[in-house]
């Protein structure tokens, strides 16, 4: 009797060269097998003899019978190598190719896209972001917002005003009348 070689399966007990069948893609045999083994989820099995079997890396995934691992796409998170599912990053977060999780947009920044970092921008003065925002929030009229990193707002006092997007309240100029804190002086 001859042992069935690696990369093949031999259904009959006594094998001859004619009884050998190659393992199909996504299956492998180390030799002496009556059936080929299925490549497990989370692994890549590109060679029928099992010599190149490798686990998927973090940020990759594969289903059973895979010959290669798939890299997670930008804008998605792939925390489970043994699953073909991915998590779509919600607005205000982002990920790049091969990420296992979505990253929250930092305070003081706006993240317009879930799949790119080159569009992340710092808030302008008079705007702010508490994090996980796609756009910075403008400071409302009648208030001063001194920080781009939080939503702290100071109400303008009588004799001062803000038309919005301000870091400080402006004093009503001498000889002018400020009817309220949200309108330009008259």
């Amino acid at each position: 009797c001859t042992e069935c070689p690696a990369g093949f399966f031999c259904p009959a007990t006594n094998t001859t060269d004619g009884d050998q069948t190659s393992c199909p893609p996504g299956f492998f045999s180390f030799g002496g097998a009556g059936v080929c083994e299925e490549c497990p989820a989370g692994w890549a099995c590109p060679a029928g003899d099992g010599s190149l079997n490798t686990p998927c890396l973090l940020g990759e995934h594969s289903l059973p019978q895979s010959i290669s691992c798939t890299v997670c796409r930008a804008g998605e998170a792939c925390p489970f190598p043994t699953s073909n599912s991915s998590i779509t990053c919600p607005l205000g977060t982002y990920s790049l190719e091969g990420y296992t999780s979505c990253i929250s947009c930092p305070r003081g920044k706006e993240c317009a896209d879930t799949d790119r970092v080159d569009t992340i921008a710092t808030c302008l003065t008079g705007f702010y972001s508490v994090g996980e925002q796609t756009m910075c929030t403008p400071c409302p009229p009648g208030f001063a917002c001194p920080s781009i990193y939080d939503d702290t707002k100071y109400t303008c006092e009588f004799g001062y005003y803000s038309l919005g997007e301000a870091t400080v309240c402006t004093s009503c100029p001498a000889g002018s009348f400020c009817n309220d804190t949200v309108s330009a002086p008259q």
Side-chain angles (χ1 to χ4, degrees):
C1 292
T2 304
E3 181 176 89
C4 193
F8 293 86
F9 71 97
C10 304
T13 305
N14 295 320
T15 64
T16 63
D17 289 341
D19 300 286
Q20 299 173 8
T21 304
S22 295
C23 291
F27 289 80
F28 65 94
S29 162
F30 292 121
V35 294
C36 293
E37 291 184 50
E38 178 182 73
C39 186
W43 283 76
C45 304
D49 65 2
S51 63
L52 301 176
N53 292 3
T54 54
C56 295
L57 301 173
L58 289 176
E60 297 179 338
H61 57 86
S62 75
L63 292 175
Q65 302 178 18
S66 293
I67 59 170
S68 64
C69 296
T70 302
V71 176
C72 193
R73 296 186 306 228
E76 298 179 353
C78 299
F80 308 109
T82 59
S83 169
N84 198 33
S85 64
S86 60
I87 300 165
T88 300
C89 292
L91 294 176
T93 68
Y94 65 91
S95 76
L96 298 179
E97 186 176 271
Y99 274 39
T100 59
S101 63
C102 300
I103 307 300
S104 294
C105 188
R107 291 173 169 260
K109 306 276 186 185
E110 62 181 21
C111 299
D113 299 302
T114 60
D115 60 351
R116 297 172 54 183
V117 293
D118 61 336
T119 58
I120 296 174
T122 301
C123 296
L124 300 173
T125 56
F127 290 76
Y128 63 88
S129 167
V130 297
E132 293 188 8
Q133 291 188 215
T134 58
M135 295 178 61
C136 295
T137 304
C139 189
F143 293 90
C145 302
S147 174
I148 65 170
Y149 301 103
D150 60 44
D151 59 357
T152 300
K153 298 178 199 68
Y154 297 107
T155 304
C156 295
E157 296 178 8
F158 183 74
Y160 291 82
Y161 70 97
S162 162
L163 300 177
E165 301 176 10
T167 56
V168 295
C169 295
T170 305
S171 89
C172 193
S176 298
F177 175 72
C178 289
N179 197 28
D180 54 39
T181 61
V182 296
S183 302
Q186 300 178 18

